[in-house]
Amino acid sequence: MDDRSGAFDIELICVIVNFGLGSKVIKSAKHHGVSGGTITLGIGSVHSRILDFIGLSDIRKEIVYMAAEKETAYEALEELNKEYQFNKPNHGIAFTTSICGVLGTKRIMCKHKKDERGADNIMYHIITVIVDKGKAEDVITAATEAGSKGGTIINARGSGVHETSKLFSMDIEPEKEIVIILSEADKTNEIVSLVGKNLKIDEPGNGIIYVQNANRTYGIYK
């Protein structure tokens, strides 16, 4: 039964940092009211001829996911920004997006109301692309051609060869890659269109793309 008595505005916090810092980020966030988080491993794509030459263009990343009430999330993220200095190059990227339910240690449901800032004020979008393993670099290449500054790649696996789970009516099986791209809002359509065209996303089984609003962002450079 849906319990509306505990309705809040809930934010998903995503912090992308260099390998080894994920646990420290969660520990810091706990000091500021966030109950905990989940860490996944990924690869950050950095486009640099020098880094390509010495074989360091792919940098190991940790992606930290945490959920909290909006006020707590924003306050915690401000403090994390001060501690980890996301405003400096290569210190990490952080953003939040709205979610409408958390079930786990406790049940929290979101309020049903429009963003007070209005959709026209959104400056960044989170583009998520799920494709077969080996296609993530093609996604990054297409996105970069359309104006993106790069992305983060996460390896995804299902629970077994003969078992699948449904996400947006698409089977997520072993050997998938998830690409997360933080895009300036005015470039999102072009990025999504070119990725969709180059990866033939409209054809069955080739992948899915979905876009979310980024409510707060840190570590993004023009």
Side-chain angles (χ1 to χ4, degrees):
M1 184 173 65
D2 191 3
D3 180 12
R4 295 292 178 188
S5 61
F8 299 96
D9 288 324
I10 307 301
E11 291 287 292
L12 174 67
I13 305 169
C14 180
V15 183
I16 302 174
V17 290
N18 288 333
F19 184 80
L21 291 178
S23 295
K24 294 180 180 179
V25 169
I26 290 179
K27 184 176 180 180
S28 297
K30 284 184 177 180
H31 287 303
H32 302 293
V34 179
S35 59
T38 299
I39 302 171
T40 64
L41 301 179
I43 298 175
S45 178
V46 177
H47 296 279
S48 165
R49 290 183 179 179
I50 295 176
L51 290 177
D52 286 339
F53 180 73
I54 62 177
L56 295 176
S57 57
D58 291 332
I59 301 175
R60 296 171 74 192
K61 296 289 183 181
E62 289 184 335
I63 303 96
V64 182
Y65 293 100
M66 301 174 285
E69 296 171 29
K70 179 181 284 188
E71 183 176 350
T72 299
Y74 288 173
E75 290 177 357
L77 204 47
E78 285 286 351
E79 295 301 321
L80 288 174
N81 185 46
K82 292 176 184 176
E83 182 175 352
Y84 293 94
Q85 299 181 306
F86 299 130
N87 58 305
K88 294 185 178 181
N90 303 318
H91 278 224
I93 294 173
F95 58 85
T96 73
T97 188
S98 301
I99 57 178
C100 280
V102 178
L103 283 76
T105 56
K106 62 180 179 178
R107 174 187 292 262
I108 305 174
M109 302 307 293
C110 72
K111 293 178 181 177
H112 294 274
K113 67 178 183 179
K114 295 181 179 179
D115 189 334
E116 63 270 18
R117 297 175 301 166
D120 291 338
N121 292 328
I122 294 297
M123 295 180 62
Y124 293 94
H125 288 137
I126 306 152
I127 303 172
T128 302
V129 187
I130 303 175
V131 290
D132 288 335
K133 186 175 178 61
K135 297 290 187 180
E137 289 295 340
D138 295 335
V139 173
I140 295 290
T141 298
T144 302
E145 185 178 340
S148 168
K149 295 180 175 63
T152 300
I153 301 169
I154 306 171
N155 289 321
R157 291 181 179 273
S159 57
V161 175
H162 302 293
E163 298 176 29
T164 64
S165 60
K166 291 287 186 177
L167 177 61
F168 301 111
S169 300
M170 172 184 167
D171 290 334
I172 303 299
E173 300 177 337
E175 305 305 317
K176 296 290 182 181
E177 290 177 326
I178 301 172
V179 184
I180 300 173
I181 299 167
L182 200 55
S183 164
E184 295 175 36
D186 60 356
K187 295 181 180 178
T188 297
N189 286 340
E190 187 174 355
I191 292 171
V192 169
S193 294
L194 192 57
V195 170
K197 177 182 177 181
N198 287 9
L199 276 295
K200 299 181 180 179
I201 294 295
D202 289 337
E203 297 182 8
N206 280 0
I208 59 173
I209 303 175
Y210 62 91
V211 180
Q212 299 165 280
N213 291 334
N215 298 331
R216 294 285 178 93
T217 60
Y218 297 84
I220 307 301
Y221 304 93
K222 292 287 187 179

